[in-house]
Amino acid sequence: MEIGYTEDEFWRKTPRQVFRVFEAEAVRVNQKYNERMHLAWHTAALMRYPPDKELPALKSLLAEDKPKPDGKSFDWRAHKAAMKRFIAAQPGRKKEA
């Protein structure tokens, strides 16, 4: 898998552990992006290319450490109800009374 786990290792993890792995991977990707953008910005600044235009501020090009919350919080009750509906809809499942 892309984040460094075999399929077997992935399926043995709890949803919380998977979420933490995804969070850590997002931080790693942002850091890698910021390192490259930092290098590109400084290269362009030293070359002054194109000379007739100002460079955008480096800070405006960097990824944020943590994404801004979109105002929607995770509702575990709604998620649980959706999972129950999903499981109940699977073929071969007995309908619960």
Side-chain angles (χ1 to χ4, degrees), residues 2-85:
E2 293 289 323
I3 56 174
Y5 287 106
T6 65
E7 195 170 333
D8 232 15
E9 289 172 323
F10 174 81
W11 288 111
R12 283 189 302 223
K13 299 211 173 295
T14 66
R16 180 176 292 211
Q17 290 171 321
V18 171
F19 179 74
R20 286 183 178 162
V21 167
F22 287 165
E23 278 187 325
E25 181 65 11
V27 168
R28 187 190 69 76
V29 167
N30 275 352
Q31 287 173 342
K32 194 172 184 178
Y33 169 84
N34 285 343
E35 288 170 4
R36 289 181 177 173
M37 187 55 67
H38 189 267
L39 178 63
W41 188 90
H42 281 88
T43 301
L46 291 172
M47 293 176 60
R48 290 290 182 218
Y49 183 80
D52 58 335
K53 291 187 178 181
E54 280 191 34
L55 288 174
L58 177 59
K59 190 171 183 173
S60 72
L61 300 173
L62 298 179
E64 296 178 19
D65 288 336
K66 288 193 172 194
K68 293 180 183 173
D70 60 359
K72 299 176 187 175
S73 61
F74 181 76
D75 181 7
W76 67 269
R77 291 175 190 92
H79 184 70
K80 182 179 177 182
M83 291 305 294
K84 282 184 175 183
R85 289 191 305 273

